[in-house]
Amino acid sequence: MKKLFVLTVALVFCGLATVQAAGDEKNGHAYFTKAQLPNMVNILPAPPEFESARFVADQSQYLWGKLMRLDEARCEQAKRDAVYSMATIIEEFGDIFGLEITKEGTPEIYTILQDVCASCDSIYSDAKAHFNRLRPYTYYNEGTIVPEKEEKHRYEGSYPSGHTVLGWTSALLLADINTSPKAMEGLLARGYEFGQSRVIAGYHWQSDVDAGRMAGSVLYQMIRNHERFIGQLARARAEFAEKTGGMSNVASPAGVSQRGGSAQIYHINGTPASDNTKGIVIANGQKVARK
């Protein structure tokens, strides 16, 4: 009977995993296939066993999450964070980022965010299926603050948290575009809160969220070395500088090279330029006009 239950859960998960993400990130171009990414099963520790000493910390944080629901503003934030989509990232991170992100107004930033969001599912889905951990509301047979999603996710593995991967990876990206220390503080703090929202909502244990941040960091490290991403990041930084009038927030991306050596000068679209290039360029991380 237990084996039959596990098989049923796995089949349910497989059906849900393909439809979890909703929004324009579906139109993005992921940087890697699942087979090209590290298997988080071989990186993450196994989740705490139920009734173990380590599980006590998860239970304590579950109670913390229920208490946080009494804070109306924080509870509403957790409900908004429960919508797994690129639109949620844009809405929740936009003010901290310092620039409204739209397909028409900031096409370079929009596209790179779209592609990063499209890459998130592949890093955690196998681990979810492998560990097949019960969610806290299922374990306790209690309700959540997002009741309309309970049946859909009731038997989907909770470790690691996919929402946390999305929020944390997006925060790392946006902090790589707006590189001011103040913006980085705000973006990473909001990325952290995005994961904690899953504990408050009752959908994840704290260790699920912690594992999600690790999976997001692994994914972003892989993405950051991808040739397509390197060019996109340069263009996104240039676009941010152009739209905000910023200078110091534009940095040359590591790894972009020309024949014969590393490029230090870029066109405003992020492509490498020569020492003789005229007009607006990015030179050593600064946007300058060259005559």
Side-chain angles (χ1 to χ4, degrees):
M1 181 64 72
K2 184 175 180 181
K3 289 183 178 179
L4 179 61
F5 173 78
V6 171
L7 177 60
T8 302
V9 170
L11 290 173
V12 170
F13 168 76
C14 290
L16 292 176
T18 60
V19 299
Q20 182 181 15
D24 210 28
E25 71 278 0
K26 279 190 170 184
N27 298 318
H29 301 284
Y31 296 98
F32 302 99
T33 65
K34 188 185 297 186
Q36 292 172 322
L37 289 169
N39 189 340
M40 293 307 299
V41 172
N42 299 324
I43 298 174
L44 293 172
E49 294 183 5
F50 294 123
E51 313 307 332
S52 69
R54 291 173 58 212
F55 184 55
V56 173
D58 273 344
Q59 291 178 303
S60 176
Q61 280 297 97
Y62 177 72
L63 295 177
W64 166 84
K66 293 177 72 173
L67 288 174
M68 291 301 295
R69 298 177 194 177
L70 302 178
D71 182 329
E72 185 176 348
R74 188 63 182 90
C75 185
E76 288 303 312
Q77 179 179 304
K79 289 178 181 179
R80 297 194 305 271
D81 290 348
V83 181
Y84 187 107
S85 73
M86 177 179 163
T88 300
I89 298 299
I90 291 174
E91 180 68 25
E92 296 301 315
F93 288 77
D95 287 345
I96 307 170
F97 180 60
L99 180 66
E100 183 181 10
I101 302 173
T102 66
K103 191 172 186 177
E104 296 76 20
T106 56
E108 297 295 346
I109 297 171
Y110 188 93
T111 298
I112 194 172
L113 177 61
Q114 188 178 46
D115 290 352
V116 166
C117 289
S119 303
C120 287
D121 288 2
S122 295
I123 195 68
Y124 66 79
S125 57
D126 280 353
K128 272 180 174 283
H130 175 82
F131 292 115
N132 197 29
R133 192 185 194 193
L134 283 179
R135 292 176 180 269
Y137 72 90
T138 305
Y139 178 84
Y140 287 112
N141 195 27
E142 294 182 346
T144 71
I145 64 172
V146 192
E148 65 273 17
K149 298 290 186 180
E150 289 174 11
E151 286 308 309
K152 178 180 179 181
H153 297 296
R154 184 174 300 279
Y155 298 114
E156 177 193 342
S158 69
Y159 184 90
S161 163
H163 279 70
T164 301
V165 172
L166 178 71
W168 186 243
T169 307
S170 298
L172 290 173
L173 168 66
L174 296 176
D176 230 353
I177 298 172
N178 183 349
T179 59
S180 73
K182 190 68 174 178
M184 183 175 292
E185 288 175 6
L187 290 165
L188 295 182
R190 186 63 181 88
Y192 181 87
E193 289 179 359
F194 201 91
Q196 294 307 108
S197 287
R198 301 306 287 161
V199 178
I200 295 170
Y203 276 79
H204 283 285
W205 307 101
Q206 182 65 55
S207 55
D208 299 340
V209 171
D210 296 342
R213 291 194 190 102
M214 186 172 182
S217 295
V218 169
L219 174 64
Y220 194 65
Q221 179 62 30
M222 289 286 295
I223 290 174
R224 226 174 175 274
N225 292 314
H226 194 283
E227 184 176 357
R228 170 160 56 94
F229 175 85
I230 291 169
Q232 286 179 304
L233 181 60
R235 294 191 294 273
R237 285 171 167 172
E239 183 176 74
F240 182 87
E242 181 182 15
K243 296 291 183 180
T244 62
M247 300 287 280
S248 61
N249 290 336
V250 182
S252 301
V256 178
S257 61
Q258 295 176 309
R259 293 183 181 87
S262 298
Q264 297 297 319
I265 303 171
Y266 302 88
H267 293 287
I268 198 68
N269 66 1
T271 59
S274 69
D275 290 337
N276 299 321
T277 300
K278 306 299 182 184
I280 303 296
V281 298
I282 302 171
N284 295 318
Q286 303 291 323
K287 188 170 72 171
V288 297
R290 306 182 79 192
K291 298 180 180 180

